Amino acid sequence: MLAITAATRWASRAQFFAAGFIFATWGVHVPTVKAHYGIDEAQLGLAMLAAGAGAMFGLTSAGRWIGRHGPRRVAGICGVVYALLLAGLIAMPGYAALLVLLAAFGLVTSVFDVSINTEAAQLELHGGTPLMSGMHGMFSLGGMAGAASGSAALAAGLGAQAHLLVVAAAMTVLVALASTRMLPRPATSGATEVDHGFLLPRGTLAVLGVLAALGLIAEGAIYDWSVLYMQQEIGSPQQQAALAYASFSAAMAAARFGGDALRARFSPRALLLGSGLLAAGAMALVLITDLPWLALVGFAGVGVGFANVVPILFSASAKVPGIEPARGIASVSAVAYLGFMAGPAVIGLLARATSLTAALYVVVVFAAALAASARYTASGNHGSQERH
């Protein structure tokens, strides 16, 4: 039995917070990157797709790397590199170099994500109580803090490059310190199996992956396009537009911190149905209003709607019988993050052909599809995997 301490749990929470803060900082500076390199929505979407390609490569190897070296070492290395790459977002000599940087950014993002989710799954499994929603709540809290601090920095006149350097330095320190408190254990007992490579999602893992993809396509669209939507389509200044991400992340964090109690009370089917319907309705509100405050309320509703989708599905993927947690999470993540990374690029292409407002109706469609597919979570042993 692994020794689970309060320090270990808080180390994991700190890693999720750092992941959210770093990703939010990227989200805040999407308009900065667009303006700095003089690119349009389609080119920006392709840059995001480069990050997606890097992420997919990382996901095919994450299970093997984590199985060989353990989540602690992998999270420490990839998390530090993830933070440091922020400093280069607007320091590249041109668009081609930006694509290379974002490919590396996506690779370390995905491996860091799998490693900290594997750690959280182990804490949940050996501790005997649900923890995954709360861990993802820390990601959302980090997203809120990153977006809010970015908005404040811009409003105060801090230069974009200076802001990126400050965040990169702070998150490097946080990730490095937190990794020293993660479970001090060697590679998993199934390391030989993990070394066989990436596990193609089949059966239960395939279902979980598709459902997670539906949620992450929509969630990724909010992360990457909400600030630009507020600024470009509604006419908000950038410091106010950054609050779209903050509103979304704050609401998601609050809902996730209560998510473990909800998972103990309601079935995955009921939670996914309600989540999808709420997210679809809230996003529709965002897209039909021209009032910034009402759009911010809508983004908060979207955050509540999507809050517990990924925690439920990732937790289940780590508990599929006969499969190492890192392999299960990596397999489901590969399907899910294919949508997460490809979705924003598709929206960019649609925005170029129509408008950003029209393109973002994809979020409404996929949220509704998630609600319609909720009945499939009743198959197999998904529900039993959520009970402790």
Side-chain angles (χ1 to χ4, degrees):
M1 177 67 69
L2 296 174
I4 307 299
T5 67
T8 303
R9 288 191 290 269
W10 277 107
S12 188
R13 293 184 181 108
Q15 298 285 37
F16 276 90
F17 179 88
F21 200 105
I22 295 168
F23 201 82
T25 301
W26 153 243
V28 166
H29 284 286
V30 165
T32 307
V33 170
K34 181 175 183 288
H36 180 80
Y37 293 99
I39 55 179
D40 61 20
E41 285 86 352
Q43 290 172 305
L44 183 59
L46 289 175
M48 294 172 183
L49 190 60
M56 291 305 297
F57 176 78
L59 288 169
T60 61
S61 302
R64 180 170 61 251
W65 293 341
I66 295 167
R68 184 175 297 166
H69 303 292
R72 177 178 178 171
R73 180 179 297 178
V74 174
I77 293 172
C78 289
V80 166
V81 175
Y82 183 27
L84 292 174
L85 286 176
L86 272 179
L89 281 177
I90 56 173
M92 294 295 101
Y95 179 65
L98 175 67
L99 295 180
V100 174
L101 181 140
L102 287 176
F105 192 76
L107 189 155
V108 294
T109 300
S110 64
V111 179
F112 182 55
D113 185 73
V114 174
S115 63
I116 62 177
N117 273 283
T118 300
E119 175 86 353
Q122 291 293 332
L123 292 174
E124 187 174 77
L125 177 64
H126 293 281
T129 57
L131 293 171
M132 189 69 80
S133 288
M135 294 296 179
H136 283 257
M138 291 301 293
F139 177 90
S140 297
L141 185 62
M144 177 190 69
S149 63
S151 177
L154 290 169
L158 183 67
Q161 185 62 64
H163 177 241
L164 290 169
L165 286 169
V166 168
V167 173
M171 292 301 106
T172 295
V173 172
L174 178 59
V175 169
L177 289 177
S179 65
T180 66
R181 292 288 188 170
M182 291 174 67
L183 291 174
R185 59 189 176 88
T188 62
S189 60
T192 300
E193 181 185 356
V194 174
D195 285 345
H196 289 167
F198 179 66
L199 179 66
L200 289 174
R202 298 186 181 90
T204 298
L205 290 179
V207 173
L208 292 171
V210 169
L211 293 178
L214 290 174
L216 285 182
I217 287 172
E219 193 175 324
I222 303 301
Y223 285 138
D224 287 331
W225 293 104
S226 60
V227 175
L228 187 62
Y229 173 80
M230 290 284 291
Q231 184 180 10
Q232 180 174 292
E233 304 294 293
I234 298 183
S236 301
Q238 188 175 358
Q239 59 266 32
Q240 182 187 55
L243 295 177
Y245 188 100
S247 175
F248 172 79
S249 295
M252 179 172 275
R256 281 179 168 171
F257 285 127
D260 291 320
L262 290 175
R263 286 170 55 199
R265 182 173 181 181
F266 297 103
S267 70
R269 175 177 180 174
L271 285 177
L272 287 174
L273 176 61
S275 295
L277 291 176
L278 175 59
M283 191 64 199
L285 174 64
V286 169
L287 296 173
I288 63 176
T289 186
D290 57 0
L291 301 174
W293 69 267
L294 192 55
L296 292 176
V297 171
F299 279 121
V302 177
V304 173
F306 285 119
N308 290 298
V309 172
V310 170
I312 289 170
L313 299 173
F314 276 23
S315 180
S317 70
K319 298 168 188 157
V320 176
I323 297 173
E324 287 287 339
R327 293 187 84 196
I329 291 173
S331 180
V332 169
S333 295
V335 180
Y337 279 91
L338 181 61
F340 185 69
M341 297 298 182
V346 171
I347 288 174
L349 294 172
L350 290 174
R352 188 181 198 181
T354 56
S355 69
L356 184 55
T357 298
L360 283 173
Y361 272 99
V362 167
V363 176
V364 179
V365 172
F366 278 101
L370 180 65
S373 68
R375 65 184 183 276
Y376 294 112
T377 62
S379 63
N381 54 3
H382 298 180
S384 63
Q385 289 167 349
E386 286 300 308
R387 305 296 177 181
H388 295 268

